[in-house]
Amino acid sequence: MGANKIKAELWDNMQFYFKDYNDISMRCVLYFDGTLDIEVLKKSIKAVADKFTIINSRFIRNPIRSYWKLNDSFDITDFLKVFETDASNHRSAAERYAALPVDPIKGPQMKAAVFRKTENGVKSDCLVLRFSHMIADGSGFSLFLKAFTDVYNNKLKNEAYVCKYGMGNRDYKQFYAHLSKEDRIRAKNMTEYRFSKHERLKFPLETYKENAGFERRLLTYKVDGFHAVRTFCKEHGFTFNDVILAAYISALMKRVEKEDGQTLAVDCILNLRRYMPADADVGFCNLVSKVKVNIGNNTGETFLDACKIVHAFMDKTKDNLAGLGGLTLLNLMDRIFPFEIGRILIKIFYQNPLIGLSNIGKVDKKTVAFGNLNVEDIVMTGTVKYTPYMLLSLITYEDSIRFCIASACTEKDGAKLRDLLSDVGGQIEKIAAGETAGAKK
């Protein structure tokens, strides 16, 4: 491709195909105890965009082969806005802005805003970052944040500092190189990832209609005691995700209406970097897949039972190259069929799951450390889902687990989702507090 174009990879296109289900955007909201240096922030955005060039681009929906077209110039006003708030509207204003989507066709692929609050004469900032999910996944977003804070902190001392990070390898197939020959052959013959109609149960939300009482909402729940939960996991031989899934599925079972023969399946986002060594030079890309979790409708009598059932199921998926089913077929379709034909085929044949879970992972304190400011609160989440779809995402930050459901929904639906969050978070709080998981539900 030409110097001002970047090839659209498989998952770039896939994200675009799914724009009817979600807003293909990620977001991060950082609440600080002081103020940012706006001029240094502007220079830092420019420096990072110079290295992560795809950020300053537009998605070209070419009927044959889509691609990213880099913008000829950089305009900071396309990237950064500054708003004044007070204590009464600070959080609501910041999170309403965070819930808005990024338009990949218009670009650029990242939007930032500083919300400056004045309370009792003291100013403090909230930094909001909105990010196109088409160009990177949660790990890619974290890499961008790491680069951004590194540049900002160094430019506070040296204006000439140059970003040391860059995009690197964007090929989604890079993880195959780290599989054994036997596993590589097996993975490339795994051509199916399907949900049967008996598994596609939905959370009881109202039908989505634009401008009909629906608002974009970021619904959050914070649980302190991450390390205590990890200790519980080690004592019982569970993974952290086993416990989160058990709490999530148990809470869903109480709310999802099932007819005879139907079972609840949850679509779990899985990072394919798991198949690569820790020191692998993974680029700024989408490298996620998914695994279908369906343990049937029995979660046992106690929460400990639910954890054991989930753990047994997840152990089986690990033996079967979890997350690799269907990737070969998707790649073949992406290479053989023109972009617009691929979009139509996905709509016809892909049964998008209705309920999902995404553990974005650990956000290191250094990754969001801007100067000497303390982070008082953080929200980081994936796409805003359109009903009937819903996604629970979570991050871990220091000793807390932070859940979020991003949804375009009515206030009535919002209340239902908050109740679900409270149930999931409440169960994890019990574990963190050392309460027995063997008691009856």
Side-chain angles (χ1 to χ4, degrees), residues 110-130:
M110 189 276 285
K111 298 282 188 177
V114 173
F115 289 80
R116 178 156 293 176
K117 176 180 70 173
T118 303
E119 185 175 10
N120 299 323
V122 178
K123 295 182 181 297
S124 60
D125 286 347
C126 171
L127 175 64
V128 177
L129 298 172
R130 292 189 280 123

Side-chain angles (χ1 to χ4, degrees), residues 298-310:
N298 176 29
T299 58
E301 293 186 359
T302 69
F303 183 67
L304 191 60
D305 290 338
C307 291
K308 290 176 180 178
I309 293 168
V310 170

Side-chain angles (χ1 to χ4, degrees), residues 17 60-67 337-342:
Y17 294 157
I60 305 300
R61 184 179 166 176
N62 185 283
I64 305 301
R65 288 286 174 262
S66 60
Y67 59 91
F337 293 103
F339 176 77
E340 289 298 332
I341 299 298

Side-chain angles (χ1 to χ4, degrees), residues 19-225:
K19 67 184 178 66
D20 291 338
Y21 311 131
N22 65 74
D23 70 356
I24 53 177
S25 304
M26 299 178 289
R27 51 271 296 165
C28 180
V29 186
L30 299 168
Y31 294 92
F32 299 111
D33 63 352
T35 58
L36 295 156
D37 187 318
I38 300 298
E39 291 307 311
V40 172
L41 196 70
K42 290 177 180 178
K43 293 171 184 175
S44 299
I45 292 173
K46 172 66 165 64
V48 177
D50 284 345
K51 287 297 189 75
F52 292 78
T53 52
I54 198 171
I55 290 170
N56 191 23
S57 72
R58 293 176 289 118
F59 183 68
I60 305 300
R61 184 179 166 176
N62 185 283
I64 305 301
R65 288 286 174 262
S66 60
Y67 59 91
W68 299 98
K69 183 176 181 180
L70 305 183
N71 294 328
D72 295 328
S73 61
F74 177 90
D75 187 340
I76 191 61
T77 61
D78 291 335
F79 286 86
L80 179 66
K81 307 291 182 186
V82 180
F83 302 97
E84 296 286 340
T85 64
D86 57 37
S88 66
N89 70 343
H90 185 63
R91 192 173 189 109
S92 60
E95 295 187 9
R96 274 199 304 270
Y97 180 87
L100 295 173
V102 172
D103 184 346
I105 293 176
K106 183 179 179 182
Q109 304 307 311
M110 189 276 285
K111 298 282 188 177
V114 173
F115 289 80
R116 178 156 293 176
K117 176 180 70 173
T118 303
E119 185 175 10
N120 299 323
V122 178
K123 295 182 181 297
S124 60
D125 286 347
C126 171
L127 175 64
V128 177
L129 298 172
R130 292 189 280 123
F131 209 78
S132 172
H133 202 347
M134 287 183 64
I135 61 173
D137 55 18
S139 293
F141 192 5
S142 294
L143 173 62
F144 171 83
L145 277 170
K146 187 176 182 179
F148 191 15
T149 53
D150 177 73
V151 171
Y152 178 86
N153 292 329
N154 279 283
K155 280 190 175 292
L156 285 172
K157 299 172 285 189
N158 174 16
E159 188 176 329
Y161 183 79
V162 177
C163 179
K164 65 182 181 182
Y165 298 91
M167 291 202 303
N169 186 2
R170 298 199 74 248
D171 188 346
Y172 101 95
K173 298 187 296 296
Q174 57 186 293
F175 66 90
Y176 282 121
H178 301 277
L179 297 176
S180 67
K181 182 179 179 181
E182 181 184 61
D183 281 348
R184 195 178 308 124
I185 293 172
R186 188 155 63 102
K188 290 185 176 182
N189 284 290
M190 295 169 64
T191 57
E192 186 173 4
Y193 177 89
R194 292 184 63 82
F195 272 58
S196 78
K197 64 181 180 180
H198 300 295
E199 297 176 303
R200 298 184 77 236
L201 300 180
K202 68 178 183 178
F203 192 80
L205 299 171
E206 298 182 82
T207 303
Y208 177 77
K209 293 180 182 178
E210 287 279 10
N211 303 318
F214 286 76
E215 293 182 13
R216 294 170 174 270
R217 306 172 196 271
L218 303 184
L219 311 172
T220 61
Y221 195 100
K222 176 188 171 188
V223 176
D224 292 321

Side-chain angles (χ1 to χ4, degrees), residues 10 18 34 200 214 233 246 274 281 283 285 295 301 352 381 397:
L10 170 68
F18 296 152
R200 298 184 77 236
F214 286 76
C233 293
R274 66 189 290 154
D281 186 19
C285 61
I295 62 171
E301 293 186 359
N352 205 43
T381 188
Y397 178 72

